Amino acid sequence: MAGVEERVDPSQVSTVGGIDSEGQIIVENPATGREIGRVPEMSADEVVELARKARAAQPGWNALGFEGRARVLNRAQKWVIDNRDRIIETIVSETGKTYEDALIAEINYATSAFGFWAKNAPKFLGDERIKTSSPFVLGRKLVVRYQPLGLVGVIGPWNYPLTNSFGDCIPALAAGNAVILKPSEVTPLTSLLMAEGLRACGLPENVYQVATGRGETAQALIDQVDMVMFTGSTATGKKVMQRAAETLTPVSLELGGKDPMIVLSDADLERAANAAVYYSMQNGGQTCISVERVYVEEPVYDQFVAKVTEKARALRQGVPTGYGAIDIGAVTSPAQVDIIDSHVRDAESKGAKILVGGHKHGTGGANFYEPTVMVDVDHSMLAMTEETFGPTLPIMKVRDAEEAITLANDSPYGLSGSVWTKDVARGEAVARRVQSGAVDVNDAMLNYSALELPMGGWKASGLGTRHGAAGIRKYCAQQAILVTRFAPKRDVHMFPYKKSTGKLIGGMLKLIYGRGKRD
Ligand code: NAD
């Protein structure tokens, strides 16, 4: 597995894209265009075989209990830290992102997630004793228990191979499941490296496996598993749900977003401008919860735009060669460069003004898009309504907070968003009116790092959540247990029905429910 190359050498650039003559997927470094590896495109039969092995291994893994599994996950946390340079090299080479993005948003997340789920799985999945107000059930022992579903299929995107692809395997494993991960065909190498890491940490054979391939491999995986955790685009999410419907397999979908940033006139403009540039262009803008559009109140609009423009112009873009070398790397997926450009060209043709950037570049198979700032934008433009997923920042002037809220909610998506103001009470009030799964006040994206908070999209941004209690319970079947220890030979509601049965039960219901609540 090659690391990151420093320069593009056109003679060494792979001219083959996608699949080679032997059916292998060619993996390229998007910052250089060079081939860095090949992985098999697995057939449906191969996926069936993976699933067979996973199902054979799962009971042993589950039998280790929370403590036994936590030992492996805690070792994995340390393994990631000990091997971080190697993991970062792999992530950087297959995504073209900066070393800092790999460290802050991937290594940081994975290490924190291993520890969080190792520690909290027993709390979220331990037996819950329940009290009831039903008169028929009084005196019984009531318990909710969680048991692993068995085999979980995780299908991931290319923007965060460790965080968003592998990251969802961690709670599924902590719950006692076996997992098969189908990483993006664009970035499969990190998932394979993690298989090596988990083996080294004592994870039993076949409890975590990687099914490399494209859409067809993913579809085959859906047929084999007990639950599908999908992260990717809204369009593919619909196909996942459709296929899963055939076997009534539950799905959790983390999909696209078009996150609004609302800047009120009393905001700390310097912080807001720094954040706007960072959270729209960090990871090359390829983050589901990145700032995708900005609404600024009229009185501070000019000042905000001037600050953002100056900061965006200062960004350094290029091939990532080490810490501190550049601010923005490549666009990971070649197809994404064209989507970004089509949004910018569409906006330009409808009257938007491009203040910074606005063009794709890169030679010999390298994919880059310039950090781009646009103004004079409106909701007739794709750049304001559809997910761009690149280093672009369209800024729109609004009359007031009301108009900003209306425009923020004028979207099919509802993943995340942010509000900027020195009046935090007002900021929170505005945040509560934004229709999305998460909203930060005077911050953006940061909620994702608090694994205690649920993270999931409203509207076309998804179904279900990751993180928090629901983020691990979704990998389990819930079972309700009722135990009756002391009881008469015959309860009053049992056969034979007598005249006195109706009288007794009717009287009891009247006594309990018939008095009416006092106003
Ligand atoms: P994508 O939908 O193109 O692909 C995602 C995965 O689905 C890949 O592994 C791909 O091989 C697989 N796939 C392709 N066709 C399939 C099919 N017919 N059935 C099943 N699986 C299929 O997404 P992408 O371009 O890799 O990733 C970018 C998208 O992911 C963006 O929309 C981004 O917002 C989203 N995303 C969302 C979150 C979140 O938490 N909400 C996080 C990261 C990325």
Side-chain angles (χ1 to χ4, degrees):
M1 204 175 294
V4 172
E5 289 78 15
E6 309 227 343
R7 274 175 286 114
V8 180
D9 174 0
S11 65
Q12 302 251 329
V13 164
S14 160
T15 50
V16 195
I19 299 277
D20 70 9
S21 55
E22 273 149 35
Q24 298 256 96
I25 295 171
I26 298 166
V27 187
E28 290 178 355
N29 180 334
T32 63
R34 282 192 183 161
E35 180 183 331
I36 52 170
R38 292 186 187 208
V39 297
E41 165 145 79
M42 288 194 178
S43 67
D45 285 346
E46 285 172 301
V47 172
V48 169
E49 180 55 16
L50 292 187
R52 191 194 60 72
K53 290 196 276 188
R55 287 193 187 282
Q58 187 267 336
W61 172 239
N62 188 36
L64 289 181
F66 291 119
E67 259 182 50
R69 294 197 293 273
R71 265 196 296 278
V72 175
L73 299 179
N74 285 328
R75 269 185 235 134
Q77 183 182 49
K78 183 171 182 310
W79 186 88
V80 171
I81 290 294
D82 292 347
N83 290 273
R84 66 186 180 282
D85 291 343
R86 204 170 141 220
I87 303 171
I88 287 173
E89 286 292 341
T90 304
I91 294 174
V92 169
S93 68
E94 66 180 347
T95 61
K97 67 176 68 181
T98 65
Y99 282 71
E100 287 82 354
D101 286 334
L103 178 72
I104 299 166
E106 304 240 45
I107 297 291
N108 172 34
Y109 180 87
T111 47
S112 142
F114 272 123
F116 179 81
W117 294 115
K119 179 170 172 227
N120 289 298
K123 183 175 110 191
F124 294 141
L125 301 183
D127 282 4
E128 281 179 82
R129 283 294 286 268
I130 302 293
K131 284 198 177 128
T132 179
S133 60
S134 167
F136 287 95
V137 187
L138 280 179
R140 270 72 172 186
K141 176 183 168 188
L142 305 177
V143 179
V144 176
R145 74 172 279 246
Y146 298 89
Q147 76 164 27
L149 285 165
L151 176 55
V152 171
V154 177
I155 303 172
W158 45 256
N159 60 335
Y160 286 104
L162 190 60
T163 297
N164 282 147
S165 211
F166 178 79
D168 287 313
C169 302
I170 303 171
L173 290 170
N177 295 287
V179 176
I180 299 176
L181 168 60
K182 207 302 279 172
S184 167
E185 58 274 31
V186 181
T187 56
L189 304 181
T190 305
S191 315
L192 293 166
L193 181 56
M194 290 311 293
E196 181 193 322
L198 288 175
R199 258 197 311 276
C201 297
L203 187 80
E205 198 70 15
N206 299 326
V207 169
Y208 166 80
Q209 299 175 93
V210 181
T212 50
R214 298 184 289 179
E216 279 182 25
T217 309
Q219 292 268 313
L221 180 62
I222 295 168
D223 294 344
Q224 297 305 317
V225 297
D226 302 312
M227 189 269 182
V228 180
M229 171 65 227
F230 173 81
T231 305
S233 62
T234 298
T236 312
K238 288 179 187 173
K239 291 182 196 164
V240 168
M241 199 166 171
Q242 237 162 22
R243 181 71 167 232
E246 286 172 25
T247 45
L248 274 184
T249 301
V251 295
S252 185
L253 306 174
E254 296 285 344
L255 308 177
K258 189 70 192 169
D259 291 1
M261 172 181 196
I262 297 175
V263 182
L264 301 181
S265 50
D266 69 340
D268 176 341
L269 283 195
E270 183 62 21
R271 176 170 169 77
N274 277 325
V277 174
Y278 181 71
Y279 288 115
S280 65
M281 302 197 188
Q282 160 276 353
N283 209 49
Q286 304 158 105
T287 302
C288 52
I289 48 172
S290 66
V291 170
E292 282 259 333
R293 50 194 171 118
V294 187
Y295 304 99
V296 189
E297 278 190 315
E298 208 164 359
V300 294
Y301 173 81
D302 289 340
Q303 216 186 328
F304 179 81
V305 170
K307 281 179 183 289
V308 163
T309 304
E310 188 194 332
K311 292 173 196 300
R313 281 209 181 106
L315 293 173
R316 301 157 302 155
Q317 184 173 43
V319 179
T321 52
Y323 292 104
I326 50 160
D327 302 306
I328 300 186
V331 177
T332 302
S333 155
Q336 197 63 38
V337 185
D338 294 328
I339 296 173
I340 301 166
D341 199 48
S342 71
H343 287 196
V344 174
R345 300 283 77 83
D346 170 73
E348 195 178 33
S349 74
K350 290 172 179 162
K353 202 157 127 202
I354 297 170
L355 299 181
V356 184
H359 299 98
K360 54 181 172 180
H361 62 103
T363 50
N367 308 312
F368 287 95
Y369 206 90
E370 291 172 344
T372 299
V373 178
M374 292 186 284
V375 292
D376 296 343
V377 290
D378 61 40
H379 280 215
S380 72
M381 302 169 186
L382 294 171
M384 292 299 281
T385 56
E386 271 309 316
E387 188 180 43
T388 307
F389 220 55
T392 58
L393 189 60
I395 310 173
M396 185 170 171
K397 190 194 291 184
V398 291
R399 238 180 3 261
D400 53 23
E402 284 307 313
E403 188 184 9
I405 295 166
T406 304
L407 288 168
N409 292 337
D410 176 28
S411 171
Y413 299 104
L415 194 54
S416 184
S418 63
V419 182
W420 300 77
T421 169
K422 286 195 187 116
D423 181 345
V424 289
R426 183 168 176 235
E428 199 180 320
V430 171
R432 284 168 187 266
R433 293 176 59 198
V434 175
Q435 296 160 357
S436 65
V439 190
D440 295 2
V441 177
N442 296 324
D443 256 307
M445 266 193 219
L446 218 55
N447 59 288
Y448 201 91
S449 299
L451 298 178
E452 297 77 4
L453 280 175
M455 170 69 218
W458 292 8
K459 303 198 267 186
S461 289
L463 207 64
T465 54
R466 55 161 68 97
H467 303 165
I472 189 164
R473 288 180 180 162
K474 70 185 177 184
Y475 297 120
C476 296
Q478 268 187 39
Q479 190 175 41
I481 307 270
L482 180 150
V483 179
T484 300
R485 190 179 295 176
F486 305 109
K489 303 286 178 216
R490 175 184 164 275
D491 288 341
V492 285
H493 60 272
M494 290 178 181
F495 295 136
Y497 286 159
K498 300 179 192 165
K499 267 217 163 113
S500 59
T501 309
K503 212 169 160 193
L504 193 70
I505 293 178
M508 186 175 79
L509 293 180
K510 187 173 171 204
L511 188 70
I512 300 171
Y513 303 121
R515 285 176 297 175
K517 285 244 183 276
R518 287 211 189 110
D519 291 333

